[in-house]
Amino acid sequence: MSESLGPVRLRVAPSPTGDPHVGTAYMALFNLAFVRQQGGQFVVRIEDTDRARYRADSEQQLYATLSWLGLPWDEGPDKGGPFAPYRQSERLDTYRPYVEQLLADGHAYYCWCSPERLAQMREAQQAAKLPTGYDRLCYGKSREERAELPGFSDVPVVRMLIPDDAPLTFTDLIRGEVNAPRPDDQVILKADGFPTYHLAVVIDDHLMGITHVVRGEEWISSTPKHVLLYSWLGLPMPNFLHMPLLRNANRSKISKRKNPAARLTWFIEQGYLPEALRNFLALLGYSMPDGEEVFSFDDMVEHFDWQRVNTVGPFFDVDKLDWLNGHYIRSIDEADLAGRLLDRLRLDGVVTGEPTERERAVVAAATPLVQTRMVRLNEAPGMIGFLLVADDDLVVEDDALASLKEDAPAVLDASVTALEALPQWETAGIEAALRAVLVEQLGIKPKFAFGPLRVAVTGRRVSPPLFESMEILGRESSLARIRALRSRVG
Ligand code: GLU
């Protein structure tokens, strides 16, 4: 455990450009682990300065997914806090004086180059195999002087004047001394009056008292620009920490366009438990001192140390997540799992509206039957749905029908007779009666004897244990289903 630093303030600063990225949850998890260990606050700030990529619903999705994942924040646009507003689009007036100061001190300059001119410049640089970057056509010119030249645009942007001797190294608490490439004359204020990320992030991290800037390694190349801005503006520097990027099996960066698992909502759809996803995200890039792979968020907090973060891009192994999820499904208590299964069945429309007493009882009774078999909650409709549908609505799957042999009518007939005569409807009695009639009297191998019954009762070839399922379903429904299949098989 690292030494206590006193109250710390960390933030995630996602851009609302669509479905929240799994990387945001990854950052949030590590931020919160450190905040919990040290004491302090965890802040959500919405970096919505890129208006072209803005998507209105993504903020709500972010709150919903972080809440689902059990990563609560102390301050944010929805919660308020001492440094509100927490949405950058609502802070435009905050940034302007800093831009003025940078212009006045000669650290920044206006640029009137049109997007067309910039594109031509880049093409020419590429054709001549020169490094690409702004050629400073506007630097040192007044508006009037610049207007005489081609590619003039009426509304200027403001650029940083990156000095030749700009420091290109900085200290990263995870990586030590880091070298970054020389930056271009970065735009800090756009023609639409919005700051770019680079200016806004520095001002906001400063004004919001952020002590540790934790973000993905793709931002390493931006950090020297931020270091310059801090020093030009005379602001104290926060600590920088760059987490490893999450990677696909082929080592490429996980992107929302190419990999569904980049979307945080995908994990909910797939039926992963939040505790399993938290554990999985923690394992990506972090190892516990004892090498244990299954650990809770509280364990992570207790042993948290940035020095244990692994900087080699972790591979996003969904099989590992499945393994962890199965583990958590088996280890939570039955009533808890029953509640989550019911939620899942509602989400999938198997249970509609407020669950009835019967639906609750059926799911509770079915839970122990599926707890050891289930890997993801999205299997619930397939595994349990047959217990909840009306007999007439049971869908018998094609492959289940195709699996029936010639002896199916005889098996079903004999079963109806045996089950009708049963004095009591419970698992052991059902099993004994069916064994007696199908295996002992009809001489069918146990392996094949119950297949037609499973198809009749569950509609599937594979299901939770048959006799227990029949007990839950009840005599009337079980018999109705067996009769219904019997009439379909001639
Ligand atoms: N808005 C940036 C993003 O979307 C935040 C980067 C940072 O944390 O500084 O990733």
Side-chain angles (χ1 to χ4, degrees), residues 197-249:
Y197 157 71
H198 302 282
L199 180 72
V201 76
V202 166
I203 306 302
D204 287 346
D205 283 341
H206 166 66
L207 293 177
M208 294 180 182
I210 300 304
T211 55
H212 295 72
V213 171
V214 181
R215 57 188 169 206
E217 75 182 279
E218 71 267 36
W219 299 104
I220 285 181
S221 60
S222 300
T223 305
K225 302 175 203 174
H226 305 174
V227 168
L228 278 173
L229 290 170
Y230 278 105
S231 80
W232 289 341
L233 294 167
L235 309 176
M237 205 101 67
N239 295 294
F240 292 110
L241 303 93
H242 292 89
M243 295 287 295
L245 273 188
L246 305 180
R247 293 182 190 278
N248 295 307

